[in-house]
Amino acid sequence: MNIIRTKVVELEIIPAVVYKIKLKSGGSGIKMHRTDQDATYFAEISTRTGDVIISGNHDPNLFPDEAFNEAIDLLAGLPYSARGKVKIMVSDDVDAEEVCTDEVEGQALPTAACMLESPEFIALVDRFSDENGKINYALMNKQFMQFASTSKVVSEMIGRRESEGDIRMFIIKNRAAHLANKREHLSDDEANALLEALNEINPRSAFKELNLFLRRRLGGR
């Protein structure tokens, strides 16, 4: 069974590789592997701040705070996909090999796993990923706001003072279907799973600019 995670990235501060995992319990975490010795560390990521939550069993000599800060920066914007477990070959030379085996802590909820393999999620990643494979949230927000500015349905929803969440959900459903070349929109559950996945890639809010735009419009500005 594959796990829902990002690709593996290599750290510079310490000899280690790291990747982000979508958790079965909700939210996400990062798994760090030293490549010069047999040592690993797993930490959850705060859904509120996007920072790593360090637990009591942390050894700062093996995994210093600076390494976690670098890991968060390197992993920011990288999309999830269903991938195999990571096997690290511990030696003087960094060598990370992927094998298709299971990793319990990374098992994802079925709905979320399905959405990460959906045409809508794949289309969003393909459309807005930069040359480094990271999602360009500024571009995605810009294009979603452009659609919202010209959409008659969005204008009517704002005129009726519908909730910011409902309007945002309509925009996401519409744009996801458009990019995937599908006539049918996602269900509410599917759209929420898609939004959750995008927010977990960028814990500081994937749609911060779009949210501010909708608040201004709802406020009459």
Side-chain angles (χ1 to χ4, degrees):
M1 175 181 173
N2 288 342
I3 59 176
I4 305 302
R5 65 172 176 82
T6 66
K7 69 178 185 180
V8 177
V9 297
E10 182 179 348
L11 300 181
E12 293 185 357
I13 291 178
I14 61 172
V17 294
V18 65
Y19 51 95
K20 186 159 63 174
I21 302 170
K22 184 171 176 60
L23 302 177
K24 184 177 181 180
S25 58
S28 59
I30 62 172
K31 187 71 174 285
M32 195 175 293
H33 297 254
R34 295 280 302 212
T35 54
D36 60 343
Q37 58 184 294
D38 186 14
T40 64
Y41 188 79
F42 174 79
E44 290 191 43
I45 298 175
S46 169
T47 57
R48 184 178 60 84
T49 65
D51 297 327
V52 173
I53 302 172
I54 305 298
S55 65
N57 61 350
H58 168 238
D59 184 345
N61 294 315
L62 289 175
F63 302 103
D65 291 346
E66 293 81 2
F68 291 106
N69 294 333
E70 182 187 8
I72 290 294
D73 289 340
L74 290 174
L75 293 168
L78 287 179
Y80 292 116
S81 61
R83 301 170 184 261
K85 182 181 177 182
V86 176
K87 179 181 179 181
I88 306 301
M89 305 301 292
V90 179
S91 66
D92 292 335
D93 298 319
V94 176
D95 182 12
E97 178 186 355
E98 297 182 8
V99 294
C100 292
T101 54
D102 191 19
E103 184 168 314
V104 174
E105 68 199 20
Q107 292 179 9
L109 295 170
T111 301
C114 289
M115 285 313 304
L116 291 169
E117 297 177 347
S118 69
E120 290 84 358
F121 184 81
I122 292 171
L124 283 166
V125 170
D126 287 346
R127 175 65 184 87
F128 297 113
S129 289
D130 61 20
E131 64 275 9
N132 297 314
K134 295 189 175 187
I135 296 179
N136 185 334
Y137 281 99
L139 178 61
M140 183 166 66
N141 275 267
K142 180 180 178 181
Q143 293 197 5
F144 280 32
M145 287 187 291
Q146 287 173 342
F147 165 76
S149 296
T150 59
S151 169
K152 180 180 178 181
V153 175
V154 171
S155 294
E156 291 173 347
M157 294 178 77
I158 290 173
R160 294 192 296 268
R161 291 295 185 268
E162 296 193 27
S163 72
E164 176 189 327
D166 287 344
I167 300 173
R168 181 179 59 246
M169 190 61 68
F170 167 77
I171 295 169
I172 292 171
K173 286 182 179 181
N174 184 287
R175 292 297 85 192
H178 172 76
L179 292 171
N181 294 314
K182 293 178 67 176
R183 291 190 176 185
E184 304 83 6
H185 287 186
L186 297 171
S187 69
D188 287 348
D189 286 345
E190 290 169 334
N192 279 320
L194 177 63
L195 180 59
E196 177 188 335
L198 291 169
N199 275 324
E200 286 177 357
I201 295 170
N202 180 9
R204 292 172 176 84
S205 180
F207 291 104
K208 181 178 180 180
E209 291 83 1
L210 177 61
N211 293 341
L212 292 173
F213 171 83
L214 293 177
R215 287 169 198 162
R216 288 195 297 267
R217 290 289 302 276
L218 287 166
R221 290 177 288 174

